[in-house]
Amino acid sequence: MSVIKAGAEFRVAPNLSSNQFLPVIGADKDGNFIVAWEDYVNSSVVYARRFQRDGTPLGDRLLLAQEATLPAIAIGPNGDIAIAKTLQNERTYSADISVSRFNASGDRRPAFFAVERPGVQSSAAIATRPDGSYVVAWVSQGQDGSGSGVYARLFNADGSPSRSEFLVNVTTQRNQIDPAIAVDSSGNFVITWSSVAQDDSGFNVYARRFNAAGTALSAEIPVNQTTAGYQNSAAVRMDAAGNFVVVWNCETKGIVARRFDATGRPISDEISISQTSETKLPSLDMDAAGNFVVTWLEGDSESTAEVYARRFSADGTPLSDSLSVNATTEGIQSFHAVALQPDGDFVVTWQGEATDVNKYNIYAQRFEVAAEVAFGQPIYTIGEDGAPVGAEITITRTGNLQVASSVVLEVAGGTATNGQDYRLPSAEFVNFVPGEFRKTISIPILQDGLLEVDETLELRLVEVAGGRSLLHSNTQTTVTILDDDRPMGGGPGNLPGGNPPSGGGNHPNPQPGLPSVDEPSLPPVPGLRTLRGSNRKDTLTGTNAGEMLVGLRGNDRINARGGHDILIGVNPDHRTPGRKEIDQLTGGAGRDLFVLGDRQRVYYNDGNRSRAGLQDHALIKDFNRKQDAIQLHGALDYRLGASPVGKGTAIFLETGRTDELIAVVQGGGKLNLNSSAFQFV
């Protein structure tokens, strides 16, 4: 399943003279989202702005709190907003954790302090549970007797506390910092944090599970497997059933994640999210089914770091490549966050260095889960009557089929002429409705009544803005239009100049789509380029476009390669074409005509009926009797037999004495002179 950008990046806050920092983001059940950030002129304040799921602003910014820092945001199932932040408390004269609340319309609801105590409380985290109640966690300095520890408290939907605060971490030595919270559909929750030197190897990440009442369901759960270097900046999200994913920054590996079931048992090893260790600051969001998106900063220095995102299925399988988020690369891109919408789309917000009045602004970029669109196969064949030969021409769609999507089908070239051989607009939309996965393409073919080689039509698919389609694999296809017109001289089955004499005994119908070469002067064949050798030993190599290749005199090697070709090893204007020469003819892919005679004479006949003529013949290397044809002078009799010169089937001209070897055919299987693999002129 692929992911594409939906529109361009946009500025979240109006163009103000203030600097904006540290954005956070959340989405409601309808996919509408809100971004909050810290705004600074002379002091820090917290603003937020609400958006529809398509990025349309829902009003101006909202002032959430003054003199506040480091906001954390939670979006309730009905779009209610809760912002937790560190705020100077006038009652305790300390930095405490305050929670501001707003309903879905942006109306302010009563705020409350999650904790009020002397000292410093910081690094707030908050989560809203399905019933509208809250879990708030924070870091408290010195409260657990050794450095800092992580504490939490539960609150009812009206903001009243449902129980007293409690210590999250069991190990209290040194510092426990950076809490993060995730909840399931029953209100159970998990809290993660980083612990300093708990296993004597720098920072490590731990988790602990709690039920809806705040009772611990587990001991500390070690999250990281890699212990070398620092493991920090963890984020966590839970699905509806209580399974959870933790993502963090590993000093030696970059951004990694690990999956756990609802009991806290690890169900995966560490999953590499980024492809480099030059990363930091992961962010994570998850849907109810457990699919998740990770964002991070990547770059070898602060000035070159850019924001990246990647989407995963619930089992940890990547659903996209690493995606570059920010289009603007000048200046510093830093703190970021991601919100996953219910249909799998997501929004990333980040702090970017501005080029106008203020130094830093908050930006956002929307992403859509797109369907992958491709032609059903790279090559099709269609008759001049419009009927497909084999598979119908189709455009298929995979991935996200729950949305409508569009691509443009356009004519890219080919040897066929629009308006003469077929009729199509130069470009047209192909629209898929939700649930639709295949379109059959009809090409109106025009009967032109001309004897000509098969022609081609090149079609390609083009992405369209807003089309929710990502081109995949077969984005271009070649349609071969088989000519079904018969040569002059009568109805179907009649040959140029009439049928061969009854004494010849050969009355096949020619292969469809292959012309005859009637005259030794070799007039140009419509649609074919002619390549000629010299009257010496030549090597001629064609292209994939289809040619008529003429070796003239001498022992020639002709390789037509792809396309529909006509191969002639001799000089047809010579009195005895092919005498004293052995030519190797290789048709390659496509429908090929090997010419061993014309209306006037047989090629490779030395005229001596007392010997077999082993020194002058054609060697046809790769004959395909189902699509290729051999052309012979039709006024004489021929027979097939074992080759007297190597492997293959020999074509002999019957002379009444010693039959003359005309050609050796390799690769054709069992041949029959009365089949359509032979045509006589």
Side-chain angles (χ1 to χ4, degrees):
M1 190 177 295
S2 298
V3 176
I4 58 176
K5 287 185 175 180
E9 67 181 41
F10 57 93
R11 184 174 289 184
V12 171
N15 187 14
L16 305 172
S17 58
S18 59
N19 284 305
Q20 293 123 40
F21 305 96
L22 303 172
V24 290
I25 189 171
D28 65 18
K29 62 182 176 57
D30 297 319
N32 303 314
F33 59 95
I34 181 170
V35 181
W37 67 92
E38 187 176 329
D39 204 291
Y40 187 87
V41 179
N42 296 315
S43 61
S44 292
V45 296
V46 177
Y47 285 103
R49 196 175 191 190
R50 300 169 61 246
F51 296 85
Q52 293 180 358
R53 62 160 291 105
D54 63 0
T56 303
L58 291 171
D60 204 350
R61 59 179 181 160
L62 304 171
L63 176 62
L64 301 183
Q66 295 181 334
E67 301 293 335
T69 57
L70 300 174
I73 187 172
I75 305 295
N78 297 318
D80 295 344
I81 307 162
I83 306 289
K85 67 276 180 187
T86 300
L87 184 67
Q88 192 67 28
N89 191 337
E90 295 180 356
R91 289 196 296 269
T92 62
Y93 300 102
S94 62
D96 289 332
I97 303 301
S98 172
V99 178
S100 299
R101 300 183 300 144
F102 300 81
N103 64 21
S105 299
D107 299 324
R108 186 180 296 272
R109 300 171 63 187
F112 61 88
F113 276 99
V115 57
E116 293 183 282
R117 60 175 300 110
V120 177
Q121 282 62 239
S122 61
S123 301
I126 187 169
T128 302
R129 298 196 282 189
D131 62 357
S133 62
Y134 308 99
V135 182
V136 183
W138 64 90
V139 172
S140 184
Q141 299 291 333
Q143 187 175 347
D144 68 357
S146 175
S148 59
V150 176
Y151 286 79
R153 196 176 189 186
L154 309 184
F155 296 85
N156 298 313
D158 63 1
S160 61
S162 63
R163 61 161 293 171
S164 60
E165 66 185 53
F166 54 91
L167 180 64
V168 174
N169 51 281
V170 177
T171 301
T172 59
Q173 288 82 7
R174 301 185 178 89
N175 295 319
Q176 287 74 44
I177 59 173
D178 292 337
I181 310 171
V183 300
D184 66 17
S185 61
S186 300
N188 305 310
F189 59 96
V190 62
I191 298 178
T192 62
W193 68 92
S194 291
S195 187
V196 178
Q198 185 167 329
D199 64 354
D200 298 322
S201 60
F203 282 93
N204 287 279
V205 179
Y206 292 85
R208 197 176 186 192
R209 295 173 53 253
F210 298 84
N211 67 14
T215 302
L217 296 176
S218 73
E220 293 181 343
I221 303 170
V223 172
N224 53 283
Q225 293 171 293
T226 301
T227 57
Y230 286 85
Q231 325 294 320
N232 56 15
S233 302
V236 62
R237 287 293 184 271
M238 247 180 179
D239 66 17
N243 306 301
F244 61 95
V245 171
V246 185
V247 62
W248 69 94
N249 187 64
C250 174
E251 185 179 6
T252 59
K253 290 184 176 181
I255 305 302
V256 294
R258 198 175 185 195
R259 299 168 49 240
F260 296 81
D261 67 15
T263 68
R265 180 178 62 87
I267 52 176
S268 79
D269 291 329
E270 293 177 347
I271 302 168
S272 292
I273 305 296
S274 61
Q275 281 76 49
T276 174
S277 61
E278 296 172 345
T279 56
K280 60 182 179 179
L281 296 177
S283 177
L284 169 69
D285 204 10
M286 176 182 284
D287 64 19
N291 304 301
F292 60 97
V293 175
V294 181
T295 61
W296 67 93
L297 284 179
E298 183 173 312
D300 57 4
S301 68
E302 182 180 76
S303 62
T304 61
E306 297 188 16
V307 185
Y308 285 84
R310 199 174 189 190
R311 193 168 184 273
F312 294 82
S313 68
D315 64 3
T317 302
L319 296 178
S320 75
D321 296 328
S322 296
L323 307 167
S324 177
V325 174
N326 54 287
T328 302
T329 57
E330 296 180 3
I332 298 173
Q333 323 298 323
S334 53
F335 299 97
H336 58 92
V338 60
L340 186 59
Q341 296 166 306
D343 61 358
D345 296 348
F346 59 93
V347 186
V348 182
T349 184
W350 70 96
Q351 172 187 313
E353 189 171 6
T355 57
D356 47 22
V357 178
N358 42 332
K359 177 71 171 174
Y360 292 102
N361 276 314
I362 305 303
Y363 298 88
Q365 174 67 61
R366 296 172 49 243
F367 289 85
E368 294 175 335
V369 178
E372 295 182 346
V373 179
F375 284 109
Q377 57 192 52
I379 298 175
Y380 292 96
T381 302
I382 191 169
E384 204 171 36
D385 60 358
V389 179
E392 292 183 314
I393 302 171
T394 58
I395 299 175
T396 60
R397 194 169 73 131
T398 58
N400 183 17
L401 304 183
Q402 304 310 309
V403 297
S405 62
S406 301
V407 292
V408 169
L409 172 67
E410 68 177 21
V411 176
T415 60
T417 302
N418 201 349
Q420 296 181 14
D421 301 299
Y422 65 93
R423 185 175 286 115
L424 277 179
S426 58
E428 62 180 335
F429 282 97
V430 178
N431 300 311
F432 291 86
V433 300
E436 191 174 17
F437 63 92
R438 180 185 293 112
K439 287 281 189 183
T440 299
I441 304 302
S442 176
I443 301 177
I445 302 297
L446 304 180
Q447 284 277 9
D448 55 15
L450 299 175
L451 174 63
E452 56 193 348
V453 297
D454 301 338
E455 296 177 294
T456 59
L457 166 61
E458 303 286 344
L459 299 174
R460 68 181 168 211
L461 301 175
V462 180
E463 291 178 12
V464 57
R468 293 184 76 107
S469 295
L470 185 67
L471 298 184
H472 179 66
S473 62
N474 296 332
T475 61
Q476 187 155 326
T477 192
T478 300
V479 181
T480 299
I481 304 172
L482 299 181
D483 182 63
D484 64 359
D485 299 303
R486 291 293 184 255
M488 296 173 59
N494 291 336
L495 302 172
N499 288 323
S502 59
N506 301 302
H507 299 274
N509 290 328
Q511 289 276 31
L514 291 173
S516 298
V517 178
D518 297 338
E519 303 293 341
S521 58
L522 296 178
V525 176
L528 284 186
R529 183 170 67 111
T530 300
L531 300 178
R532 296 177 184 268
S534 65
N535 285 319
R536 294 181 296 274
K537 183 177 180 180
D538 298 303
T539 298
L540 296 182
T541 302
T543 68
N544 289 326
E547 290 96 4
M548 181 163 70
L549 301 98
V550 185
L552 298 181
R553 296 181 65 185
N555 296 331
D556 303 313
R557 292 176 179 265
I558 298 178
N559 184 358
R561 297 184 67 187
H564 306 327
D565 305 289
I566 298 174
L567 293 84
I568 304 171
V570 306
N571 182 353
D573 293 326
H574 195 269
R575 184 169 57 88
T576 55
R579 185 180 181 185
K580 294 184 178 179
E581 60 183 273
I582 299 175
D583 299 313
Q584 292 189 20
L585 311 179
T586 305
R591 298 159 60 84
D592 303 309
L593 177 66
F594 298 88
V595 180
L596 305 181
D598 55 41
R599 285 186 180 183
Q600 296 187 17
R601 58 181 67 89
V602 179
Y603 300 167
Y604 304 104
N605 180 11
D606 64 6
N608 189 337
R609 296 194 299 167
S610 64
R611 59 188 183 191
L614 303 184
Q615 302 305 312
D616 36 38
H617 61 273
L619 175 59
I620 300 174
K621 299 283 287 184
D622 65 338
F623 189 72
N624 184 339
R625 61 188 172 88
K626 294 183 179 180
Q627 66 178 25
D628 298 332
I630 295 171
Q631 177 176 303
L632 296 167
H633 175 59
L636 300 170
D637 289 331
Y638 301 86
R639 70 174 178 86
L640 302 177
S643 171
V645 285
K647 297 181 179 180
T649 300
I651 302 174
F652 293 99
L653 171 66
E654 294 183 338
T655 67
R657 294 180 62 184
T658 302
D659 293 341
E660 180 77 15
L661 177 64
I662 302 300
V664 175
V665 182
Q666 296 179 346
K670 187 175 181 180
L671 299 180
N672 185 339
L673 285 170
N674 292 312
S675 72
S676 60
F678 291 88
Q679 58 189 52
F680 298 83
V681 296

